[in-house]
């Protein structure tokens, strides 16, 4: 305080430099997510909204957006409600996005075939003297159309073939009812009642996303499991911490928490989710030109303690990934109590499309309509008609030294030599040269900035990742670094 005497014997310590902290979140992707969520909020005046954007191959968090938002420069003046990290902390009933889990459970046990025809009973089903309604009157639908058109009745009939125990086990295997392990405070595990306490109709309601609460992050991880080939991964936000020699990667390898379904089931579920965005599906508004999308819409009635489900309040959502064949992103959009529209396909799916289109372009993911049979940036495979040439080089190990030389275009720095099985050092290359080098190595480059490469993740000398794995290249003007 002004005028107070400061005691001369107060203990003191020399300042200690802090550590550097590198996050997986990308400023550009975060801005895209926040901007598109804010546009939806302006249009629909909801109570709140959330967006999660993940890298499905690693579990890295690329963006987390919440609305309403606040100015972090005035943190103390913002209320606790506004400061909530909604994608991680807010649990909600997912509605029809959860039908993906029901489909996976029934397919995994061989209890349903995609082309089996189900009678959806023209708008409702009565179980234990309780009438459960559909959002539309459907008659006979194949199971693939049950998912594409989001029939509650068809989904309920499918779930009734499952035992309570096996359905519960699949829900847990996809990560629901437990925390994900993300390196952030305040994560909600959601709410999944123990199977021994399930009432008579619990399975029917849970099959289409009622009677269970989840977080947007959990849903993104579940859809990421479908996108990445079947692995439920632990999400993370901190890529690297420390400084100098003490700096270390926090997640050098993805942390796998389980494999809920077999590759056979995985392929069918992906096909079903792709049908949601096809002609006649509820998710047509999630389509991104040039990038096939797989996903699921959700329109859930809101519940309130003592009142049950509210007639005029809904949560609209969409969860999906793109491109379908080689997913680069998985995203979840949740809009709580929108006005002027409430279906997930009308409210949330367009937000997903807007975010996905910008994110995929920013990440340099080539539209699949150009060359759908290959990874973005991957060169044509050599053939008798297209042999390897100086203009079309292929990485080959030296027969004596085992050294691999990455093929570069004319004018590049001298070819980068590296021990076989290791990543080369791409520092000093232009963006075009680095793209050529990573293409020859069958890797998927992510460019950050412009100029020449200053730094890369994984760093030079790391074990060579599998084909299609990402390499982040940080560029800047000049040769310094």
């Amino acid at each position: 305080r002004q005028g107070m005497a400061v005691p001369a014997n107060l203990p003191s310590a020399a300042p200690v430099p802090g550590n550097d902290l590198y996050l997986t979140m990308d400023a550009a992707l975060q801005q895209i997510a926040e901007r598109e969520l804010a546009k939806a909020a302006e249009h629909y005046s909801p109570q709140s909204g959330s967006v999660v954007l993940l890298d499905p191959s690693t579990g890295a968090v690329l963006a987390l957006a919440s609305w309403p938002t606040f100015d972090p420069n005035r943190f103390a003046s913002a209320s606790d409600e506004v400061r909530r990290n909604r994608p991680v902390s807010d649990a909600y009933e997912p509605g029809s996005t959860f039908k993906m889990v029901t489909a996976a459970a029934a397919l995994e046990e061989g209890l349903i075939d995609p082309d089996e025809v189900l009678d959806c009973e023209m708008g409702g089903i009565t179980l234990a003297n309780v009438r459960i309604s559909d959002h539309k009157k459907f008659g006979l639908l194949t199971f693939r159309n049950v998912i594409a058109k989001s029939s509650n009745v068809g989904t309920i009939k499918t779930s009734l073939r499952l035992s309570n125990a096996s359905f519960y086990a699949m829900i847990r295997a996809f990560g629901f009812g437990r925390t994900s392990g993300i390196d952030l405070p305040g994560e909600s595990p959601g709410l999944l009642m123990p199977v021994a306490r399930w009432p008579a109709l619990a399975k029917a309601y849970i099959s289409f996303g009622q009677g269970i609460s989840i977080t947007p992050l959990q849903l993104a991880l579940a859809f990421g499991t479908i996108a990445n080939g079947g692995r439920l991964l632990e999400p993370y936000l901190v890529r690297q911490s420390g400084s100098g020699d003490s700096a270390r990667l926090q997640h050098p390898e993805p942390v796998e928490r389980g494999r809920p379904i077999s590759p056979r089931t995985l392929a069918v579920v992906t096909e079903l989710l792709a049908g949601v965005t096809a002609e006649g599906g509820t998710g047509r508004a999630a389509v991104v030109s040039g990038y096939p999308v797989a996903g699921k819409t959700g329109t859930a009635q809101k519940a309130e303690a003592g009142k049950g489900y509210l007639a005029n309040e809904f949560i609209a959502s969409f969860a999906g990934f793109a491109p379908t064949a080689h997913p680069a992103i998985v995203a979840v959009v949740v809009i709580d109590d929108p006005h002027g529209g409430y279906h997930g396909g009308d409210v949330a799916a367009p937000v997903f499309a807007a975010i996905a289109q910008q994110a995929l372009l920013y990440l340099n993911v080539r539209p699949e309509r150009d060359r759908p049979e290959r990874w973005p940036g991957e060169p044509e495979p050599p053939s008798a008609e297209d042999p390897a040439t100086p203009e079309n080089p292929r990485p080959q190990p030296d027969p004596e030294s085992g050294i691999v030389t990455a093929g570069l275009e004319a004018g590049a720095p001298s070819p980068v030599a590296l021990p076989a099985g290791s990543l080369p050092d791409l520092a000093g290359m232009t963006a075009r040269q680095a793209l050529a080098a990573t293409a020859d190595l069958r890797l998927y480059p992510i460019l950050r900035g412009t100029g020449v490469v200053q730094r890369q993740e994984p760093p030079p000398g790391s074990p060579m990742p599998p084909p299609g794995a990402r390499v982040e290249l940080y560029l800047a003007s000049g040769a310094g670094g």
Side-chain angles (χ1 to χ4, degrees), residues 59-229:
V61 177
L62 302 177
L64 290 174
S66 299
W67 188 93
T69 188
F70 67 97
D71 183 353
N73 294 310
R74 300 182 178 182
F75 184 84
S77 64
S79 67
D80 291 343
E81 182 68 16
V82 170
R83 291 200 302 258
R84 291 177 65 84
N85 188 355
R86 296 184 182 279
V88 174
S89 301
D90 281 10
Y92 70 104
E93 291 196 352
S96 293
T97 55
F98 204 75
K99 289 173 182 173
M100 181 276 286
V101 180
T102 305
L107 289 163
E108 184 68 13
E109 293 200 21
L111 300 176
I112 193 74
D113 182 271
D115 294 311
E116 180 178 344
V117 176
L118 299 172
D119 183 359
C120 296
E121 304 196 19
M122 297 307 293
I125 186 172
T126 300
L127 300 172
N129 296 319
V130 176
R131 183 71 172 173
I132 303 176
S133 299
D134 227 332
H135 70 101
K136 279 186 179 180
K137 292 182 178 181
F138 297 115
L140 300 179
L141 292 178
T142 63
F143 182 62
R144 67 177 71 250
N145 277 329
V146 165
I147 299 302
K149 297 180 181 296
S150 203
S151 168
N152 290 345
V153 174
T155 304
I156 290 170
K157 286 191 169 185
T158 302
S159 74
L160 295 179
R161 302 180 183 185
L162 292 158
S163 70
N164 286 359
S166 64
F167 191 27
Y168 177 85
M170 182 62 75
I171 294 168
R172 291 279 296 180
F174 268 105
F176 300 106
R178 55 193 174 119
T179 55
S180 69
I182 191 171
D183 43 1
L184 280 173
E187 181 183 10
S188 170
L191 179 62
L192 174 61
M193 189 183 302
V195 67
R197 292 169 46 198
W198 279 15
L201 296 182
K203 182 169 57 182
Y205 281 110
I206 292 173
S207 73
F208 63 94
Q210 284 189 354
I212 182 174
S213 294
I214 69 172
T215 65
L217 175 64
Q218 287 175 330
L219 189 63
L221 292 168
F223 274 75
T225 300
I226 306 300
N228 68 29

Side-chain angles (χ1 to χ4, degrees), residues 364-428:
N364 294 310
V365 179
R366 180 172 297 171
E368 291 201 354
R369 63 187 173 208
D370 291 347
R371 297 193 297 181
E373 73 281 4
R374 291 187 306 282
W375 284 89
E378 185 177 338
E380 291 276 2
S383 64
E385 293 77 27
D386 179 30
T389 67
E391 293 74 33
N392 186 26
R394 300 285 178 263
Q396 298 291 334
D398 181 90
E400 295 183 3
S401 66
I403 297 296
V404 175
T405 301
L408 303 176
E409 63 185 77
S414 58
V416 181
L418 66 153
S422 297
L423 274 174
D425 187 351
L426 304 180

Side-chain angles (χ1 to χ4, degrees), residues 261-286:
I261 55 177
S262 65
R264 172 185 56 82
T265 300
L266 181 75
V268 179
V269 173
T270 302
E271 180 186 343
L272 295 179
L273 295 177
V276 173
T277 62
E279 193 67 39
T282 58
R284 284 290 296 161

